[in-house]
Amino acid sequence: RKQTLSIQRKFLEPNTKDVRFHFNQTSQMRNWNSGNSLKLGADLYASKKTTFGAVVNGFYNPGKFGNTSDISIADAGNTPQAKTFANSLSRSLWQNFSANGNFRHVFDSTGKELTADIDYIHYNASNTQNLSNYYFSPSGVPTRKADTLYGNLPQLINIYSAKADYVHPLKKGAKLEAGVKVAYVKSDANAVYDSLNNNVLSRDFGRSNHFIYDEQINAAYASYSRPISKKLSAQLGLRVENTTAHGNSIGKVFRNNAWVNFDTTFRLNYTQLFPTVYLQYAASEKHSWVINYGRRIRRPDYESLNPFVEFLDRYTFEQGNPNLRPQFSHNVELSHTFKGFLTTTLNYTNTNNIIQQVLEQNTDQQETFVKQANIASQRQYGVAVSAFKQIKSFGGNIYVNVYNNQFKGLVNNTNVKLGATTAVFSA
C-alpha cells in the first residue's frame, strides 16, 4: 500500500494564540504486510451428551513501513526559515499462539446444558525503527549534521481466561442462563532508543521506557427470558464485573542537569453493573416492535496503553497513553419491522469518558503527536432504515443510517463543544 500525506500546521503562542510558526509537510509512505495463519482443532464425543474439544491456532505476520518526508518551516509572516528531509524505515513482526480447551454436556432433551472454556493466548511483537533527519536552510544549504534515531520496541502479551455457562429451560417457554468468567492479562513492553549524533551512538533516555501492565477481570452474569403473552416476550439480564489493574512505567527523566530514574505506578480497582432489557412485541403479521437497553464498557487496547513513541518523522509521531481509562455507555434502540423486509431503528447512546484519538502540539519543539485520550462525553441520536427483498433467485438490500454526534469535553486544555451529522448509504 502506498499513500501520500500532506500536512499544513500552525503553531500558536500558548497565551496570545498568535501564529508562531507555519509548518508544511509532504510524506510519501509505503506499507507492506503479510498475514499467515494456521488453525487445528478436534472434538471428542465421549457420549451422546458429552463433548470435549481442543483448538490451537496462531499467526505469523511480518510487516515493513517506509516513509520519506519533505518539511518546510516558516515564521509568522510565512517567510521560509528552514527545511528538513526525513527518511524512516520500520520493520515489525507479530506472532501469536493460542490454545483452547472446551467442554459441553447436555443433561436432557429440554435443552439443559453446561459449557466451559479454558483459553491461553500469547502475543510476541517486535518492532525496529530507523529515523534519519537532514537539516537545510531555505536555499538548500546544510545547516547542521544529520541525526539518526534507532528504536527497538519488543512487546509480550499473555492472556489467560476460563469461563462456564449454564442454560436451564423453565416452564411455559421461559429460560434461565448464567455464567462466570475470569481473565488475566500481562503485558511487558520495553522500548529502547539510541541516537546517533556526530557519529556517536548514545542511549536516548528521554524516549526509552519500560512499561509493565497486568489486569484481572472477574465477571458473572444471569439472564432470564420468557414469553409474556402470544405477542409479547421479554428478556432481562445483569452482568457484574470487577476489574483490578496495575501499571508500572520505568525510565529516566532529565532533572538538575542529570538523568535520574523514575518509576511511575498506578492501580485501579472498580466494580461495575451492566443491565440489559429486551422486549419484543409482534402486533400483527405485518408489524413487529423491539425495544432494548444495555449498558456497555469499552476498554482501551493494550497497544494504546503502551507509552511507545512511533515516528513518522522528527516532528510527527504517535504515542501511547498509559493513563487511558475505560469508557461506559448507555444504549437504547427502538426497532419496527414491516412485513419482515423493512426495518426502521431509532437509537440513542450516551457515552462517558469516551476514548478518542487527539492531536497535541509542542510549540517549542515544533512537534505534533497523536494519542488516544479520554476526552469527553458523547451523545448520539440516529435513525437507520434497512430493506431486503428476495424475488425468485435475486435479492437486493438497501441500508441508510443518519446519526448526529455531540461532543463535550476538554482537549489540549481547551473546552470543546461541537457536533456533526453523518449519513451512510449502501446498496
Side-chain angles (χ1 to χ4, degrees):
R1 184 173 71 245
K2 293 185 178 181
Q3 182 180 355
T4 299
L5 177 66
S6 297
I7 302 175
Q8 293 82 39
R9 304 176 188 151
K10 294 179 181 179
F11 288 87
L12 307 181
E13 293 287 354
N15 297 324
T16 64
K17 303 301 181 182
D18 292 332
V19 176
R20 185 173 174 183
F21 301 109
H22 290 274
F23 185 104
N24 292 285
Q25 171 181 340
T26 301
S27 296
Q28 302 292 339
M29 297 179 288
R30 304 164 304 283
N31 203 333
W32 177 88
N33 295 96
S34 175
N36 310 275
S37 62
L38 177 68
K39 181 176 181 179
L40 298 172
D43 290 316
L44 172 64
Y45 297 91
S47 68
K48 291 182 179 181
K49 296 183 177 182
T50 304
T51 306
F52 295 91
V55 180
V56 295
N57 61 77
F59 61 73
Y60 181 90
N61 297 346
K64 183 168 62 176
F65 173 78
N67 171 66
T68 55
S69 295
D70 288 304
I71 302 159
S72 297
I73 302 173
D75 62 15
N78 239 339
T79 302
Q81 299 293 307
K83 288 186 176 183
T84 301
F85 175 77
N87 186 23
S88 65
L89 177 64
S90 300
R91 297 180 184 273
S92 63
L93 176 61
W94 271 93
Q95 300 177 82
N96 160 266
F97 169 80
S98 65
N100 165 268
N102 56 80
F103 163 83
R104 179 174 181 255
H105 178 73
V106 179
F107 291 90
D108 52 38
S109 61
T110 64
K112 186 190 303 182
E113 71 173 42
L114 174 68
T115 59
D117 287 86
I118 297 177
D119 290 275
Y120 168 69
I121 305 173
H122 172 76
Y123 293 97
N124 185 352
S126 62
N127 187 7
T128 59
Q129 300 178 11
N130 295 339
L131 170 65
S132 298
N133 300 284
Y134 306 88
Y135 305 96
F136 303 92
S137 68
S139 60
V141 178
T143 55
R144 60 181 169 122
K145 289 185 177 295
D147 58 59
T148 300
L149 182 70
Y150 300 100
N152 184 20
L153 318 174
Q155 183 175 13
L156 295 174
I157 301 174
N158 288 294
I159 304 173
Y160 309 84
S161 69
K163 68 174 184 176
D165 298 281
Y166 176 69
V167 179
H168 189 90
L170 301 171
K171 296 180 179 180
K172 298 181 180 180
K175 184 169 63 175
L176 178 66
E177 300 178 63
V180 294
K181 182 176 181 179
V182 177
Y184 175 77
V185 180
K186 186 174 182 65
S187 174
D188 190 321
N190 190 12
V192 177
Y193 287 96
D194 295 310
S195 292
L196 182 66
N197 292 292
N198 297 320
N199 294 321
V200 177
L201 188 66
S202 60
R203 181 59 43 87
D204 193 327
F205 293 112
R207 296 187 175 98
S208 299
N209 186 280
H210 189 188
F211 181 65
I212 303 170
Y213 177 81
D214 60 84
E215 176 185 84
Q216 180 168 329
I217 302 172
N218 305 307
Y221 80 92
S223 174
Y224 175 77
S225 62
R226 62 160 296 175
I228 298 173
S229 66
K230 292 183 178 180
K231 295 184 176 182
L232 181 63
S233 60
Q235 180 175 326
L236 303 175
L238 180 65
R239 187 175 85 256
V240 58
E241 288 189 3
N242 172 260
T243 302
T244 58
H246 169 250
N248 191 20
S249 185
I250 305 168
K252 292 180 180 288
V253 63
F254 196 70
R255 292 175 183 165
N256 300 322
N257 296 319
W259 289 103
V260 296
N261 295 326
F262 76 85
D263 188 338
T264 303
T265 300
F266 70 85
R267 297 181 183 273
L268 297 175
N269 189 342
Y270 57 91
T271 301
Q272 296 285 335
L273 296 176
F274 301 93
T276 57
V277 179
Y278 177 91
L279 296 172
Q280 183 176 27
Y281 179 65
S284 65
E285 293 184 358
K286 294 182 179 179
H287 301 277
S288 63
W289 301 82
V290 171
I291 183 169
N292 66 76
Y293 160 79
R295 184 171 186 256
R296 300 171 185 169
I297 182 174
R298 178 196 166 193
R299 291 183 173 85
D301 60 70
Y302 305 118
E303 282 190 275
S304 297
L305 287 168
N306 191 333
F308 279 178
V309 177
E310 188 166 359
F311 289 91
L312 180 66
D313 52 61
R314 156 72 177 78
Y315 307 96
T316 314
F317 54 89
E318 184 174 357
Q319 186 171 19
N321 182 5
N323 297 315
L324 275 178
R325 299 297 180 260
Q327 71 176 39
F328 299 91
S329 63
H330 297 274
N331 305 272
V332 181
E333 286 188 349
L334 173 63
S335 297
H336 170 258
T337 301
F338 176 69
K339 289 186 176 182
F341 85 95
L342 179 65
T343 301
T344 304
T345 303
L346 302 175
N347 64 77
Y348 168 77
T349 302
N350 188 345
T351 305
N352 293 315
N353 221 28
I354 189 170
I355 299 173
Q356 186 72 31
Q357 191 178 74
V358 297
L359 288 167
E360 295 192 5
Q361 289 184 331
N362 183 334
T363 300
D364 291 334
Q365 299 296 323
Q366 300 171 338
E367 295 174 341
T368 301
F369 57 94
V370 180
K371 72 175 184 178
Q372 301 276 357
N374 300 106
I375 62 168
S377 61
Q378 176 195 23
R379 291 185 178 182
Q380 183 183 100
Y381 308 84
V383 56
V385 179
S386 63
F388 176 79
K389 190 67 174 178
Q390 185 77 31
I391 302 175
K392 294 183 179 181
S393 59
F394 295 93
N397 184 75
I398 296 176
Y399 176 77
V400 179
N401 187 13
V402 180
Y403 57 92
N404 176 267
N405 282 328
Q406 297 288 332
F407 293 90
K408 184 179 181 182
L410 189 69
V411 181
N412 294 331
N413 297 317
T414 302
N415 288 313
V416 173
K417 185 177 181 181
L418 53 86
T421 299
T422 304
V424 179
F425 172 82
S426 63

